[in-house]
Amino acid sequence: MYKIFETIDDVSRYTAQRLLDRILAKPDAVLGLATGSTMEPVYARLVDWLWQHPVDLSRLTTFNLDEYVGLGASHAQSYCHYMCRHLFDKLNVPRERVHLPDGMARDLEGACRAYSDAIQTVGGLDLQLLGIGSNGHIGFNEPHTPFTSRTQVIALSEQTRIDNGRFFSDPSEVPTHALTMGIQDILEAREILLVATGPSKAGIMAELYHCGVDEALPATALKQHGNVTIVMDREAAALLPRELRA
Ligand code: F6R
């Protein structure tokens, strides 16, 4: 299902409302969370609402999609740091219920296996929030990642390193590798929200719309899932068929 809104603010309100609805309907929900610039206004809106109308988050569990290899929690560009800055420092989710892949683990492969196992142990993800890379990645599952993948160490594509260079003082500082939840882990979520905003996503959103299920475009894996909402602003949807944008 496609939901197309006029502005980023509209997209963020809708997405934050969907997250809040899930939490209210199921206080012990397991949420899969994403980082990146798309999610910043979503989390800002959610935090805003939860400050105005506090909700007990003590039974909520979260799993983030990914983390850079070699960046610890104190690194300003680690996803752990991002999540604390935008969400967890502002909300009362118990820290022991917050999970991110450990990019500093000595045994990265073991940490990956344990991560997918931990998701299964809590009964799977109720709702997975996703952004999309300009090359179609979801999480950091780059083009040609098998759709059967579990949490794994992945070499970031040149495109992703260029795109994410904007967050680092020097683009050469973007790590070459990351840990990412696998596509199979994502597909097992009971509900998925993919969010894309801004003109830089228009090309990939049109490709995603027209392309069949193909490992060359990781987000097409979502076409095999029965409960996905794709949320866009007008700019990200600009190259989609006119009738969808009406
Ligand atoms: C981040 C993640 C990535 C981003 C994607 C879009 O946790 O999983 O797939 O969602 O790279 O990033 P932004 O929102 O910065 O364009």
Side-chain angles (χ1 to χ4, degrees), residues 20 24 47-57 91-92:
L20 188 59
L24 293 174
V47 166
D48 205 34
W49 287 341
L50 287 169
W51 277 4
Q52 287 175 41
H53 303 286
V55 168
D56 178 14
L57 301 176
L91 299 179
N92 58 346

Side-chain angles (χ1 to χ4, degrees), residues 44-150:
R45 181 60 62 190
L46 185 64
V47 166
D48 205 34
W49 287 341
L50 287 169
W51 277 4
Q52 287 175 41
H53 303 286
V55 168
D56 178 14
L57 301 176
S58 63
R59 292 196 290 145
L60 192 69
T61 299
T62 68
F63 285 88
N64 260 82
L65 280 166
D66 38 22
E67 180 59 281
Y68 289 115
V69 169
L71 301 195
S74 61
H75 191 289
Q77 296 313 328
S78 73
Y79 286 167
C80 186
H81 197 275
Y82 171 108
M83 290 307 295
C84 288
R85 201 162 65 240
H86 294 289
L87 211 61
F88 298 131
D89 284 351
K90 300 176 175 176
L91 299 179
N92 58 346
V93 184
R95 289 305 158 103
E96 65 276 14
R97 290 181 170 273
V98 167
H99 304 84
L100 283 107
D102 181 3
M104 298 294 280
R106 294 178 103 191
D107 173 11
L108 290 172
E109 307 290 342
C112 288
R113 277 194 300 279
Y115 202 72
S116 285
D117 288 350
I119 295 171
Q120 308 261 334
T121 301
V122 297
L125 302 161
D126 288 301
L127 188 157
Q128 176 65 56
L129 184 60
L130 296 174
I132 184 168
S134 66
N135 62 359
H137 72 215
I138 48 175
F140 270 140
N141 293 287
E142 300 284 28
H144 303 289
T145 303
F147 286 173
T148 51
S149 62
R150 295 287 178 189

Side-chain angles (χ1 to χ4, degrees), residues 114-242:
Y115 202 72
S116 285
D117 288 350
I119 295 171
Q120 308 261 334
T121 301
V122 297
L125 302 161
D126 288 301
L127 188 157
Q128 176 65 56
L129 184 60
L130 296 174
I132 184 168
S134 66
N135 62 359
H137 72 215
I138 48 175
F140 270 140
N141 293 287
E142 300 284 28
H144 303 289
T145 303
F147 286 173
T148 51
S149 62
R150 295 287 178 189
T151 305
Q152 62 174 325
V153 182
I154 201 133
L156 295 176
S157 69
E158 213 34 52
Q159 186 60 53
T160 296
R161 295 190 67 237
I162 291 167
D163 289 347
N164 288 6
R166 70 190 192 282
F167 298 113
F168 290 78
S169 45
D170 185 327
S172 66
E173 289 171 14
V174 182
T176 56
H177 289 75
L179 305 188
T180 181
M181 206 187 270
I183 294 180
Q184 186 65 38
D185 297 309
I186 293 170
L187 290 178
E188 284 169 3
R190 287 179 270 286
E191 184 181 358
I192 297 176
L193 278 180
L194 182 139
V195 187
T197 54
S200 66
K201 298 292 165 69
I204 193 62
M205 293 315 288
E207 269 188 66
L208 173 58
Y209 178 80
H210 290 291
C211 187
V213 175
D214 186 343
E215 287 182 351
L217 204 171
T220 62
L222 303 178
K223 296 187 181 203
Q224 301 173 317
H225 192 284
N227 191 3
V228 178
T229 308
I230 297 183
V231 193
M232 283 175 277
D233 69 346
R234 286 246 164 231
E235 291 187 321
L239 302 177
L240 265 59
R242 195 174 293 276

Side-chain angles (χ1 to χ4, degrees), residues 15-25 46 49-50 55:
T15 308
Q17 185 68 57
R18 290 281 300 265
L19 291 170
L20 188 59
D21 288 349
R22 187 94 306 279
I23 296 167
L24 293 174
L46 185 64
W49 287 341
L50 287 169
V55 168

